Amino acid sequence: MTAQLSDIKNTHKVLVEKETKMKATPGIKRAFVIVALFMMFQQITGINIPFYYGPTVIANLHIFGSTSGTYLSNAVFGIEASSILAIINVLATLIGFRLIDSYGRRSLGLLGYAGMAFFDILGTVLYLSHIEIGLLIGFAGFIVFFAFGVGGTGWLIQGEYFPTQYRGLYASLIAVVDWISNFAIIELFPVMHIDIGLGYTMAVFGILSIMAVITFYFIMPETKNKSVEEINDMFEKNQLKDVKNAAESGKSPNAGNK
């Protein structure tokens, strides 16, 4: 009986210690804010629109082979064009993975969002100028910059920013943020398409991409060549607004501030 009681006490002690270790520290909360915002912007800037609605949208542009074809041929053309966009996405993602360790997560992320904004605005201007193929050009350029600068970066930093024992939990929470954001924009797109039109909808996505550039310019640190321990220490010892500068200087100007 005494041995069993001792085992119960030891088990309780281990569980209490484990629960204490799993409490989110200020640094982990700061890391979560950056990754959650990155993944939210990754979705609400419209990356899945060409893949979910691309065949319908592209077929309705009546360009190339769809100019005078039947409804079926238009639909086939839309699917073919969307497939080409998907291939572009895959190839650009491979390029991004080759560049991310040399150019860095922050640099590629900012470049990606900036390029997405540029091609959204370009597509908007061309489409509203009745150059329908401009929309397809906008889609293609947007996907290239998303794939090599934003898509892989978001999933990489969610694995780097959190200590090992927290990684599974926060990866799950980040996935929730990602899918909720995806669901929201996919549900909103048909409404926006009807109410303000495709051209102005792309402009909205461009504005959101610009907002992402501004946001991450000020708060996203460069974590290239840093260990998980160094990254965790950086988040713990600096306020959110100072993390970027601490990463650049390699110092912790507000060490001790929680």
Side-chain angles (χ1 to χ4, degrees):
M1 183 68 180
T2 303
Q4 290 177 338
L5 183 60
S6 177
D7 288 341
I8 292 173
K9 288 181 178 179
N10 288 335
T11 301
H12 178 263
K13 181 180 178 181
V14 170
L15 291 174
V16 169
E17 290 176 351
K18 185 176 181 180
E19 181 181 359
T20 300
K21 290 179 181 178
M22 288 301 291
K23 288 182 179 178
T25 64
I28 290 173
K29 293 176 182 177
R30 293 172 191 133
F32 178 77
V33 168
I34 294 176
V35 182
L37 283 173
F38 198 97
M39 300 303 278
M40 181 190 75
F41 274 111
Q42 188 188 81
Q43 292 297 332
I44 66 174
T45 46
I47 182 55
N48 281 314
I49 300 302
F51 303 123
Y52 287 17
Y53 298 103
T56 301
V57 171
I58 295 171
N60 289 334
L61 294 179
H62 302 297
I63 54 179
F64 298 140
S66 66
T67 303
S68 59
T70 63
Y71 177 82
L72 179 60
S73 64
N74 289 346
V76 169
F77 173 79
I79 293 172
E80 291 172 346
S82 296
S83 299
I84 293 172
L85 295 179
I87 293 171
I88 291 172
N89 184 32
V90 172
L91 294 177
T93 299
L94 294 175
I95 294 172
F97 281 132
R98 293 181 67 87
L99 295 177
I100 199 163
D101 281 330
S102 55
Y103 285 89
R105 293 83 166 113
R106 170 184 163 84
S107 299
L108 279 190
L110 292 177
L111 178 61
Y113 278 119
M116 289 158 60
F118 172 80
F119 276 98
D120 272 335
I121 301 303
L122 176 64
T124 297
V125 171
L126 293 176
Y127 182 73
L128 295 179
S129 300
H130 305 292
I131 305 174
E132 284 77 7
I133 195 175
L135 192 69
L136 195 57
I137 294 172
F139 275 163
F142 172 91
I143 289 172
V144 167
F145 278 90
F146 173 91
F148 87 79
V150 174
T153 300
W155 294 109
L156 181 62
I157 63 174
Q158 67 90 21
E160 289 185 333
Y161 279 18
F162 303 109
T164 303
Q165 67 268 32
Y166 291 87
R167 198 168 296 152
L169 172 62
Y170 281 88
S172 301
L173 294 175
I174 292 300
V176 170
V177 171
D178 183 74
W179 280 103
I180 289 176
S181 302
N182 174 59
F183 175 79
I185 200 63
I186 290 304
E187 291 297 311
L188 282 172
F189 173 75
V191 178
M192 296 169 66
H193 190 188
I194 293 172
D195 289 348
I196 64 175
L198 189 57
Y200 290 110
T201 297
M202 283 194 72
V204 170
F205 291 145
I207 292 170
L208 288 170
S209 296
I210 292 171
M211 291 174 60
V213 173
I214 295 171
T215 299
F216 298 118
Y217 177 82
F218 287 106
I219 68 172
M220 185 177 181
E222 181 54 75
T223 52
K224 179 183 68 172
N225 298 327
K226 293 184 182 295
S227 68
V228 172
E229 292 75 19
E230 289 173 323
I231 295 170
N232 181 241
D233 188 60
M234 178 180 65
F235 278 114
E236 291 293 345
K237 293 182 177 180
N238 296 277
Q239 298 293 337
L240 185 62
K241 62 183 178 64
D242 298 314
V243 170
K244 176 182 77 74
N245 292 333
E248 291 174 352
S249 65
K251 300 177 182 179
S252 299
N254 290 323
N257 284 349
K258 305 294 184 184

